[in-house]
Amino acid sequence: MDFSWAGIQQSVKTFWSKLSSPQKIITVIAPLLVAIAMVYLITWAGRPQYVAIFTKLGDTEAGAITTKLKDLKADYQLADNGSTIMVPQQSAADIRLQLANAGLPQQSKFSFDSLNTMHLGETDADRKLRYVLGLQNELENTLKTLTGVQDARVHIVMPEPSLFVDAQKAATAAVTVKLIPGTKLGDDQVRAIANLMAGSVEGLQPENVTIVDTSGNVLSDVIGKSKDLQHLTGSQYQLQQAVEENTRKSVQSMLDQVLGSGKSVVRINAALDFDQIKITKQTNGPGAVVSEQKSNETTTNGSATGGTPGVTANGVPTYPAATSGVTSSSTKGSTTTNYQVDTTQQEQVVSPGAVKHLSVSVMADADTVTQAQLDQIKTIVGSAAGVDQTRGDQIQVAAIPFNKTDLQQEKLAMENAQKRQQLVTYAEIGAAVLLGLVFFLVYLRSRSKKARAEKMLGLNGSQPVTLASAELLMAQQLAEEEAKFQLAQKNTKTVEQLQKQKTKEAVDTYSRNNPDEVARLMKTWLSEES
């Protein structure tokens, strides 16, 4: 193999001429893609990794730090809308020390550390103001540690103490929180913030704390409400919604099967009784004998007999003498019986949640139902929903023409979407068929070229078709076509002369460019003839 520069160029040209068009494209694009990937990987590997040195900075602090970093000619990046400063990892410690030496980040707010020093000419009012400002700053830092809170501002109003209790004003506080996007504070978290403020500020009550977010929503409305009452109210509302929705689904599914989907609308309004009732019932039975007492008494008496009393002549009464008489007796009896009455006491607790009042409204499409069907629907729906006329339940059924504009638009949009999907499918199928047809035509063309080459060389299976012979054949074909074109234009030479001249030129050019192939071809011919 010739390793000279000309030989290398000739080998490259020969290799390139042997490639087909797709192979040439792949040969060019593949190294290019590999080179681009290598450059990207080298660039990515050499790029420094940034780490955050300060987070949740204010605009003033971030501006002062970035100005100092520019003076130090240090590389940095900003994140989180400028509140986070990031520097290369290998120089993070050095940059942090240099900024600390420059007094950055510089706290622009008061803190409890400022109370350690006394200022010349400072009054009690000034010191109290510094205390309030420091307390606000400390509470802000504490609130920032809560989950979901990105930033916070606290304002405290502490009125002057009064000698009269009635004239003493209560302390108040206002808290503004900036939440992390996508988060929301729950009621318990809001109460926790209020209790934290009340426990940190003297004389501050949780109900005097106003909490808002940066979107303008008042979050402290839940502080004055009882937690148990809120939970009960929420449970009642959920129970009412569940009763209404279950009843509506039951009636709606029944009407959809009869009238068709979208032909009726059902709405339920249920009033539930959430009063808890305790019923106590006492029942008295016939009773049983507990004690019984009986007493009897017998009496016997004797009496004398004599003459009849009278009066003498002188008017003096006379009494005859008594004689022996007869004995009499009497009997007396009494009975006392005590009974214990049987008592049954029953207590019944009625749980809340019973339906107190129910209203059912049904609207059907006037194009679908008749008046006779409306009467039947009213009766059936009332029975299915459990309407009780004795407790004041109501049911209303009406036939109203429905507005089908939206339904028609949705139907038209679905049809258009289906048509577009069909067009996309047909386009994909057509592209696949066209691509297959192109490959098939390319294959047929290559086969036809090979067949013509074999025919013109006179091989037809008796001699192997080499690459050099095929290239020579193509050169001859090009020469013939060019000769025909020149003959038609100039009409100066015959077709045979032009073909011979062009064939000779093509053979000479190919021989000069491919001496190795021509020599190999000549050896093949000579060996076949011998």
Side-chain angles (χ1 to χ4, degrees):
M1 183 177 181
D2 189 4
F3 291 98
S4 63
W5 178 249
I8 294 174
Q9 287 182 338
Q10 186 63 35
S11 300
V12 172
K13 290 181 180 179
T14 303
F15 173 75
W16 182 259
S17 62
K18 294 179 181 179
L19 298 177
S20 61
S21 297
Q23 290 176 339
K24 291 179 180 179
I25 296 175
I26 295 175
T27 304
V28 174
I29 293 179
L32 184 60
L33 293 177
V34 173
I36 294 174
M38 292 295 294
V39 172
Y40 176 76
L41 289 175
I42 294 173
T43 304
W44 178 79
R47 185 175 55 186
Q49 184 177 2
Y50 287 82
V51 295
I53 57 174
F54 299 112
T55 59
K56 296 183 179 181
L57 295 175
D59 295 338
T60 304
E61 297 174 352
I65 293 175
T66 54
T67 302
K68 184 61 177 178
L69 290 176
K70 291 178 181 178
D71 295 339
L72 297 175
K73 296 182 180 180
D75 189 14
Y76 69 91
Q77 290 182 354
L78 298 178
D80 298 336
N81 296 326
S83 62
T84 300
I85 298 179
M86 305 177 69
V87 297
Q89 185 177 7
Q90 60 270 18
S91 58
D94 185 33
I95 293 176
R96 193 191 303 271
L97 292 176
Q98 293 184 25
L99 292 175
N101 189 29
L104 295 174
Q106 183 179 4
Q107 293 289 338
S108 60
K109 302 177 183 179
F110 289 95
S111 65
F112 282 152
D113 295 336
S114 62
L115 297 178
N116 296 330
T117 58
M118 295 293 296
H119 298 274
L120 184 63
E122 184 182 40
T123 62
D124 292 339
D126 297 335
R127 187 168 179 83
K128 182 178 180 181
L129 177 60
R130 286 202 296 147
Y131 171 79
V132 174
L133 294 176
L135 181 60
Q136 291 179 172
N137 185 38
E138 296 297 330
L139 288 174
E140 290 173 1
N141 294 332
T142 303
L143 293 178
K144 291 178 185 179
T145 61
L146 298 179
T147 303
V149 178
Q150 182 176 355
D151 197 2
R153 289 299 300 262
V154 176
H155 300 280
I156 301 174
V157 178
M158 298 182 66
E160 295 292 336
S162 175
L163 297 176
F164 303 98
V165 178
D166 297 339
Q168 179 66 44
K169 297 181 180 180
T172 58
V175 179
T176 304
V177 292
K178 181 181 180 181
L179 303 179
I180 297 175
T183 60
K184 182 180 179 181
L185 293 181
D187 295 345
D188 294 338
Q189 291 176 300
V190 175
R191 293 190 186 92
I193 294 175
N195 292 329
L196 174 65
M197 295 293 298
S200 303
V201 180
E202 182 181 1
L204 180 62
Q205 299 297 326
E207 56 269 15
N208 292 333
V209 179
T210 302
I211 305 174
V212 298
D213 58 9
T214 52
S215 300
N217 300 319
V218 180
L219 307 178
S220 55
D221 290 341
V222 301
I223 296 177
K225 298 180 181 180
S226 173
K227 183 177 179 180
D228 294 336
L229 181 59
Q230 280 188 344
H231 178 72
L232 181 60
T233 303
S235 300
Q236 292 176 358
Y237 181 75
Q238 292 177 0
L239 180 59
Q240 180 177 345
Q241 291 293 319
V243 172
E244 294 176 352
E245 185 64 18
N246 292 336
T247 307
R248 187 197 67 80
K249 287 182 178 179
S250 177
V251 176
Q252 187 69 64
S253 62
M254 179 180 63
L255 293 178
D256 288 344
Q257 293 182 3
V258 176
L259 303 178
S261 178
K263 301 298 182 180
S264 61
V265 178
V266 179
R267 292 294 180 267
I268 305 295
N269 184 15
L272 304 184
D273 187 4
F274 294 104
D275 296 334
Q276 187 175 10
I277 302 174
K278 182 178 180 181
I279 301 175
T280 303
K281 184 178 180 182
Q282 183 174 348
T283 304
N284 297 327
V289 177
V290 177
S291 62
E292 184 176 359
Q293 180 180 1
K294 296 181 179 180
S295 61
N296 294 321
E297 183 179 353
T298 302
T299 304
T300 303
N301 295 321
S303 60
T305 60
T308 302
V311 180
T312 62
N314 296 327
V316 179
T318 60
Y319 298 95
T323 60
S324 60
V326 180
T327 301
S328 64
S329 64
S330 63
T331 302
K332 180 181 180 182
S334 64
T335 303
T336 303
T337 305
N338 295 324
Y339 292 91
Q340 177 65 42
V341 179
D342 291 341
T343 303
T344 302
Q345 186 173 354
Q346 180 181 4
E347 292 186 359
Q348 181 182 2
V349 178
V350 180
S351 300
V355 178
K356 183 169 57 177
H357 179 71
L358 188 66
S359 297
V360 181
S361 300
V362 178
M363 289 188 299
D365 190 1
D367 300 335
T368 307
V369 298
T370 61
Q371 185 60 40
Q373 291 176 337
L374 285 179
D375 296 337
Q376 295 178 354
I377 290 174
K378 184 175 182 179
T379 303
I380 295 173
V381 169
S383 177
V387 175
D388 189 359
Q389 299 291 343
T390 58
R391 65 184 180 189
D393 295 351
Q394 297 179 355
I395 179 171
Q396 299 291 335
V397 179
I400 301 176
F402 282 12
N403 185 4
K404 302 180 178 63
T405 303
D406 296 339
L407 183 61
Q408 293 176 355
Q409 292 179 354
E410 292 179 0
K411 185 177 180 181
L412 182 61
M414 293 178 62
E415 292 178 354
N416 294 334
Q418 187 175 5
K419 290 180 180 179
R420 288 194 297 268
Q421 184 63 32
Q422 290 179 352
L423 291 176
V424 172
T425 304
Y426 294 155
E428 293 176 351
I429 296 175
V433 172
L434 181 61
L435 185 61
L437 183 61
V438 170
F439 280 111
F440 182 69
L441 292 177
V442 171
Y443 174 74
L444 291 180
R445 185 177 179 182
S446 62
R447 290 291 301 272
S448 63
K449 288 182 179 180
K450 184 177 180 181
R452 288 199 302 268
E454 292 178 352
K455 182 177 181 180
M456 294 184 67
L457 290 174
L459 300 179
N460 291 329
S462 61
Q463 296 180 358
V465 179
T466 63
L467 181 60
S469 62
E471 291 178 351
L472 183 60
L473 174 61
M474 293 182 66
Q476 292 177 355
Q477 290 178 350
L478 292 174
E480 292 176 359
E481 292 176 359
E482 186 176 358
K484 292 179 181 179
F485 177 76
Q486 291 181 0
L487 177 62
Q489 296 293 330
K490 298 179 180 180
N491 197 15
T492 57
K493 296 182 180 180
T494 62
V495 176
E496 290 79 4
Q497 292 175 347
L498 291 174
Q499 288 180 350
K500 291 180 180 179
Q501 181 180 357
K502 295 300 180 181
T503 302
K504 182 179 179 180
E505 292 177 357
V507 171
D508 293 340
T509 303
Y510 182 80
S511 299
R512 287 194 301 268
N513 295 333
N514 303 281
D516 296 336
E517 294 294 334
V518 173
R520 186 166 56 252
L521 181 61
M522 294 299 294
K523 290 179 180 180
T524 302
W525 287 347
L526 292 174
S527 61
E528 291 176 354
E529 291 178 357
S530 60

